[in-house]
Amino acid sequence: MSIRINREKCTGCGKCIEVCPGTLLFKEVEGSKAFIKYPKECWGCTSCLKECKFEAISYYLGADIGGNGSIMHVTEEGNELHWHITDAGGNKKIISIDRTKANSY
Amino acid sequence: MSIRINREKCTGCGKCIEVCPGTLLFKEVEGSKAFIKYPKECWGCTSCLKECKFEAISYYLGADIGGNGSIMHVTEEGNELHWHITDAGGNKKIISIDRTKANSY
Amino acid sequence: MDKKTIQTDVLIIGGGTAGCYAAITLAEQSDKEVLIAEKADIKRSGCLAAGVNALNAYIVSGNTPEDYLEYVKKDAEGLIREDLVLTMSERLNKVTKHLEEMGLVILKNKDGEYVTRGNRNIKINGENIKPILANQVYSYSNITVFNRVNIIDYIVADNQIIGAYGFHILKNTFYTIFAKTVICSTGGAAGIYKPNNPGLSRHKMWYPPFNTGAGYAMGIRSGAEMTTFEMRFIALRCKDTIAPTGTIAQGVSAPQINGAGELYDKQYGAPTTANRVYSTIEENKQGRGPCFLKTEGIGEKAEEELLKAYLNMAPAQTLKWLERGKGPNHENVEIEGTEPYIVGGHTASGYWVDTGRQTTIKGLYAAGDVAGGCPQKYVTGSLAEGEIAALSALRYIEETTFKTIYKEEQQEYERTGFEAVNKFLHHPEGIYTVFQLEEAMQKVMDEYAGGISGNYGYNQSRLVIAESRIRELRELALRLHAKDCYDLMKIYELLDRLLVAEAVIVHLEARKETRWHSFQENLDFQEKDEAYFLYINSIRKNERFEIIKRAFVGRGVVYEHTH
Amino acid sequence: MDKKTIQTDVLIIGGGTAGCYAAITLAEQSDKEVLIAEKADIKRSGCLAAGVNALNAYIVSGNTPEDYLEYVKKDAEGLIREDLVLTMSERLNKVTKHLEEMGLVILKNKDGEYVTRGNRNIKINGENIKPILANQVYSYSNITVFNRVNIIDYIVADNQIIGAYGFHILKNTFYTIFAKTVICSTGGAAGIYKPNNPGLSRHKMWYPPFNTGAGYAMGIRSGAEMTTFEMRFIALRCKDTIAPTGTIAQGVSAPQINGAGELYDKQYGAPTTANRVYSTIEENKQGRGPCFLKTEGIGEKAEEELLKAYLNMAPAQTLKWLERGKGPNHENVEIEGTEPYIVGGHTASGYWVDTGRQTTIKGLYAAGDVAGGCPQKYVTGSLAEGEIAALSALRYIEETTFKTIYKEEQQEYERTGFEAVNKFLHHPEGIYTVFQLEEAMQKVMDEYAGGISGNYGYNQSRLVIAESRIRELRELALRLHAKDCYDLMKIYELLDRLLVAEAVIVHLEARKETRWHSFQENLDFQEKDEAYFLYINSIRKNERFEIIKRAFVGRGVVYEHTH
Ligand SMILES: Cc1cc2c(cc1C)N(S(=O)(=O)O)[C@H]1C(=O)NC(=O)N=C1N2C[C@H](O)[C@H](O)[C@H](O)COP(=O)(O)OP(=O)(O)OC[C@H]1O[C@@H](n2cnc3c(N)ncnc32)[C@H](O)[C@@H]1O
Ligand SMILES: Cc1cc2c(cc1C)N(S(=O)(=O)O)[C@H]1C(=O)NC(=O)N=C1N2C[C@H](O)[C@H](O)[C@H](O)COP(=O)(O)OP(=O)(O)OC[C@H]1O[C@@H](n2cnc3c(N)ncnc32)[C@H](O)[C@@H]1O
Ligand SMILES: Nc1ncnc2c1ncn2[C@@H]1O[C@H](COP(=O)(O)O)[C@@H](O)[C@H]1O
Ligand SMILES: Nc1ncnc2c1ncn2[C@@H]1O[C@H](COP(=O)(O)O)[C@@H](O)[C@H]1O
Ligand SMILES: Nc1ncnc2c1ncn2[C@@H]1O[C@H](COP(=O)(O)O)[C@@H](O)[C@H]1O
Ligand code: SF4
Ligand code: SF4
Ligand code: SF4
Ligand code: SF4
Ligand code: NA
């Protein structure tokens, strides 16, 4: 597992469910919140994060691969993707990416 | 996990729960059936099997360590322990051990 | 379960890189009805889901397709299908242009030329490459997309394809699809071997865990000839996150160093893709690990750009740097080899195809990672193969007179297809779950068929054990219970992987030399042997794989199947 | 959570082999109040839960305790505490006799003499050895047994033991136990390293997964001196089931052979316990694995007896033979090395004790697998140490004037003890579970501190990474949430293992030679170096381990702590 869905924030719009390449996301009951049914099957591709317009999905690293308590979510603003990272101590950082620009590497 | 508890056969006597060296066995609700609460914590020591007078607990090998569908339970008769093995095809075999005799090896 | 029967001209199985591009080609070049059956959703399915970092295959100015062929050939110790690599290479730049027109952002210099990374790569923003392809697909009215439809087997009559079976993962519908021609583009296979992080993060692998070798297995079950399964792909990746390393290695020219800080890759022969892994494994074996990409001191700016680049492809690596409180400018990046994947887009495992990408089953084409003989196709090569397969398929439709399938025959196909899946829904629940058998399979392959734990080496004694246990596991898998279509999919994924695993074992056994270090490390025969300068192919007959050795196919020729 | 305060003369922590026997000794020799606090239930707790196969330590007729000492010394490359091994050896036969009187079945020949297996082992029916010991314990009125009470820390004042804290796993009760003297007999530590079968069967390990190094960790936290954590025990075991091999190796004289059927153990130096593992690992590395115990052809009768023998000790192995449809007469038994355990009863890790088994904390004694310096004690040696510790503890009570603990002081102890556990019950739920952090720890130890995946070798570069990540994991563990006392136990188990892990790392680093192949394989220093013919000890101060090197202690002397 590398994602968490915040039930408070989820509106049940269903967009994350549509894209997941592993068919891992479902609704609890018709019309309600999204949840990850097969957490160990998650690839961590972050497709679902990018779909969610409600900042309801966040991503983290399992402790087995070096996770140290941080979580990350992503928001979209025009051509920009903002990646928001909050570490275990509550410190926040944002990395913004202009989708119209190529990588330097 | 390497044990299974048959709910039909379990009388809820609680003896298996008493001995488990990992404190893994519990009752579903007071007075009801035994179940293994932390299956991946099971050592496979078979202590619980030997306590159960109702043939309710059986033991098997996980597929990751070569399990091929057989299950095993044990009954006691005087000084003898009878180990009953049923393979995937339903074939049965009993190996009996006299507790008053030492191993040859 | 509902049952539906569908008719189409062209069925494309797998709407990934190659599949989408094949559909686009068909839509642009014909008015044929095209159906894409995709187990996930084409917007974010397959290799491109998270994004990619560069286009790894491009003919940069001053170079020719032959140069690319030479590079691929050298990297593969000579053993490639030259006809395939060349026909792919010739199309690389054209499909790149097309991708740019669709919306992909590619880095250009002031003169409007693509900026290269290394000798063959160009720099992009690949985060949304898959949505771009999907949008293009949806713009054509003669393409129908079935998302969440998992294809499980071909329908073949007299060695000619006539369709495929599948089911909707969520809607409980069984499909019998009849098609004049089929393009298989299901990608390669991950999850055959025990992964690097078998616990919670077991799916944090490089190759998509949802590409489970379905296309290989369907071909194998239908008697198609397959090639080079022994040339496994083992990626050199960032430790733990299994994120790609090329971006760092090429991007900031970071060399590989061992635990003592020494450069080591030069000491292990030519710096091929395989040797980059092998040298690292050897350093570890000698006790000089762990190994790193030497990034310390690249500067703050470079560090910042790397953090961004990885968010566009493998966000875990950026998060990892943040978790460590140290980016690549301040700490070298530890590297490791991955579990072996079977993937015809990096190495050469897959269908044995003719130059037009037709498999040995008439009317069945293969493109992308599922197609053999043509390594290092990557994104652009997969697009190129999608195009080649689409064009061949079109020609095939034109040139073939198709037999009518009568109602009763059709019903018989529907019945037998459905029964195969239906039985799983009616099996009683057993001791083992599908996940447990998958884990068991991965452990067997790891320990007995050259996985990570044995540093990728294998020998005959181990393969014998592997094969017998893999066959036992298939028996157990055939008895599994499915409560819904998701379970059914998992069972098929397992059965497919078990079949691919068996093919890998048989191929590894057949190559009695060591051709590619790590990728195929035969500990009984530790040297390269020119007697094995040939392709190891196989066909499954009566539940057993038969090995066929085929002679080298050079460039220039148009290779055709002779049956 | 309820809070209870208990007073007793002698507190025994861990009612296993050594603990039960210490209690029996105390009950037979005194009228002191004895309390056994056992995290499980003494009927089937600890190493003996499933049964054991033989008594591995016995002075057979014609041999002397000195012979046993010589054997142990040779097997450990000389580095043992001779005073400890000799005082143990002198009691082996006496405790065996006592066990037999309690009801243990021991094989005798027609003359009424014990039948030996090899040179030092005698044959028994060990299936119910633990119930026999437990029954004996319950027969004394001055022994109280607290089952399901998990002890988590000592209460120490001015380096003198005054009691311990614990809680009932099921009853939600926190205990503050005051005692004049404490005997620690919590066994060794499994689950520090990634186990052989990390998936479903991750607890199908040799050493009990419930012996989590609590005794080591409590000592470390209280500033006790510990010894030889770098001498890990790696068992050579039956593949997959991790069942003991001695029964086969000695019982039917089965030699070790490689995948090609060749005998190999003679080629790797003296046939010590360590070299039996090392030689197998090396054969695998050279590509000549897998390795086996050569049992083919032992005969149907021998096969039948082996099937029975394993049911009395490791039933999984019998089931495995049945699953394969081939018993040992028809198929050789594949072997593998286990993950490294920390266990003073097979190797020598544990408390640094004086000849009377007193630790460096006054009034605290150690016996069995938790006590260091005395390898190959096994069942009978653990009983012997239980006896020695009990007798020393009795003498200590007689010779010591104990300070009164006043009401307020007592309440202060209760309060601080309780707060330490209570905070976990109030932490918010975080991202990680205790199981995930455990897995993460095992992975770090495996990859960076000489686990299975690196063939047990380690180097300085790796240890540095291991130590820093283990300390990070402790920070994460300290923030875990417990919803009940089972969770609390799991958290303490994890914290204890993390501390043991750190000790192991620091000790491995300190021994700049390779003293015992596989057990301690320092890839930076691959040879034995007589400059390291000394004990590596440590004491933790200000959250860091300090290394103390101590000179060899010979037989004959009575070693006393000098502080
Ligand atoms: C996984 C991966 C791959 C790459 C990279 C990073 C990562 C993390 N990097 S770098 O690291 O190499 O650097 C890339 C990069 O930066 N540049 C590059 O050129 N190539 C990269 N690759 C390689 C290429 O991406 C790759 O070769 C091609 O994309 C392969 O294309 P194709 O062969 O079409 O595979 P696909 O995964 O795109 O599509 C397969 C589709 O089939 C579906 N499917 C599978 N089974 C099915 C079934 N039974 N029924 C129905 N549908 C069913 C899948 O869902 C998928 O949509
Ligand atoms: C695990 C194992 C061990 C052996 C064997 C097979 C197997 C599978 N084999 S062969 O393979 O070697 O052959 C044996 C054999 O055939 N013959 C032999 O002589 N010795 C064998 N051993 C070795 C001996 O058995 C071993 O050295 C001694 O039994 C060790 O005795 P001791 O040190 O007392 O450990 P214990 O496990 O019995 O008791 C520890 C107890 O402490 C409890 N405990 C632990 N933490 C506690 C806490 N925090 N609070 C309260 N209680 C807390 C435990 O529950 C346990 O009861
Ligand atoms: N160390 C390296 N030196 C040169 N090229 C590399 C190196 N590592 C990766 N590459 C190339 O970078 C691209 C992507 O590689 P990877 O990210 O490892 O999949 C491929 O074209 C590789 O051949
Ligand atoms: N291959 C062997 N040769 C001789 N003795 C052995 C062998 N394997 C185990 N033993 C002894 O058998 C006893 C139990 O060993 P084990 O079952 O491996 O724990 C110990 O006394 C070992 O020293
Ligand atoms: N540590 C050991 N414990 C028991 N037996 C061993 C051990 N090491 C080697 N052996 C083998 O067991 C046989 C009997 O050895 P011994 O018990 O020393 O007489 C010898 O021939 C050795 O090969
Ligand atoms: S990260 Fe990817 S695989 Fe995981 S739940 Fe989201 S979309 Fe699915
Ligand atoms: S996209 Fe976000 S809001 Fe919509 S269902 Fe998924 S988690 Fe809920
Ligand atoms: S086999 Fe042993 S560890 Fe497993 S549940 Fe039974 S008593 Fe507990
Ligand atoms: S011992 Fe048997 S009958 Fe009694 S609670 Fe356990 S499973 Fe049920
Ligand atoms: Na290894």
Side-chain angles (χ1 to χ4, degrees), chain A residues 5 9-17 34 51-54 56-57:
Chain A
I5 303 183
K9 290 186 176 169
C10 173
T11 66
C13 77
K15 297 203 68 168
C16 58
I17 298 172
E51 287 298 317
C52 184
K53 300 290 165 267
F54 304 94
I57 313 187

Side-chain angles (χ1 to χ4, degrees), chain C residues 252-269:
Chain C
V252 298
S253 301
Q256 296 175 205
I257 56 169
N258 66 20
E262 301 154 346
L263 300 172
Y264 62 82
D265 51 349
K266 302 279 183 301
Q267 294 154 42
Y268 296 88

Side-chain angles (χ1 to χ4, degrees), chain D residues 121-243:
Chain D
N121 299 21
I122 57 176
K123 303 180 186 188
I124 62 172
N125 183 327
E127 184 279 314
N128 58 359
I129 184 167
K130 197 71 208 289
I132 287 171
L133 271 174
N135 277 344
Q136 187 78 12
V137 163
Y138 287 123
S139 74
Y140 300 102
S141 58
N142 53 337
I143 307 179
T144 304
V145 179
F146 277 13
N147 286 316
R148 306 287 164 202
V149 170
N150 186 52
I151 300 297
I152 53 169
D153 259 318
Y154 298 133
I155 314 177
V156 178
D158 297 329
N159 200 41
Q160 180 174 4
I161 195 91
I162 55 175
Y165 298 114
F167 50 80
H168 197 288
I169 304 167
L170 304 172
K171 289 190 185 150
N172 214 25
T173 306
F174 182 81
Y175 288 104
T176 306
I177 305 171
F178 292 104
K180 293 192 175 121
T181 175
V182 173
I183 298 174
C184 179
S185 45
T186 51
I192 307 286
Y193 283 81
K194 183 154 91 173
N196 294 73
N197 309 297
L200 178 77
S201 302
R202 69 191 182 80
H203 270 186
K204 195 77 212 66
M205 42 178 62
W206 170 71
Y207 205 68
F210 318 117
N211 281 6
T212 57
Y216 300 141
M218 294 190 289
I220 291 169
R221 282 193 291 266
S222 298
E225 184 170 334
M226 311 302 279
T227 190
T228 322
F229 272 80
E230 74 281 12
M231 189 191 193
R232 308 163 309 163
F233 180 61
I234 294 153
L236 188 71
R237 289 294 175 260
C238 300
K239 176 81 168 50
D240 293 335
T241 61
I242 319 295

Side-chain angles (χ1 to χ4, degrees), chain A residues 1-20:
Chain A
M1 168 132 94
S2 45
I3 65 141
R4 301 210 122 190
I5 303 183
N6 183 330
R7 295 189 82 255
E8 314 285 293
K9 290 186 176 169
C10 173
T11 66
C13 77
K15 297 203 68 168
C16 58
I17 298 172
E18 266 174 39
V19 294
C20 174

Side-chain angles (χ1 to χ4, degrees), chain D residues 49-64:
Chain D
V52 288
N53 191 257
L55 297 180
N56 290 345
Y58 188 78
I59 313 298
V60 302
S61 97
N63 278 16
T64 63

Side-chain angles (χ1 to χ4, degrees), chain C residues 449-506:
Chain C
I452 295 172
S453 76
N455 290 318
Y456 308 120
Y458 67 90
N459 65 17
Q460 180 63 16
S461 312
R462 289 190 185 274
L463 291 181
V464 168
I465 298 174
E467 189 179 3
S468 102
R469 183 61 182 157
I470 290 296
R471 291 175 69 89
E472 277 178 18
L473 288 171
R474 183 161 60 247
E475 292 307 310
L476 295 176
L478 286 168
R479 281 190 229 127
L480 284 168
H481 164 75
K483 66 175 181 315
D484 57 24
C485 285
Y486 182 85
D487 284 2
L488 258 187
M489 174 174 73
K490 297 309 294 176
I491 293 173
Y492 271 89
E493 288 178 351
L494 174 63
L495 288 167
D496 291 349
R497 283 176 164 136
L498 284 165
L499 208 51
V500 172
E502 195 177 328
V504 169
I505 293 165
V506 172

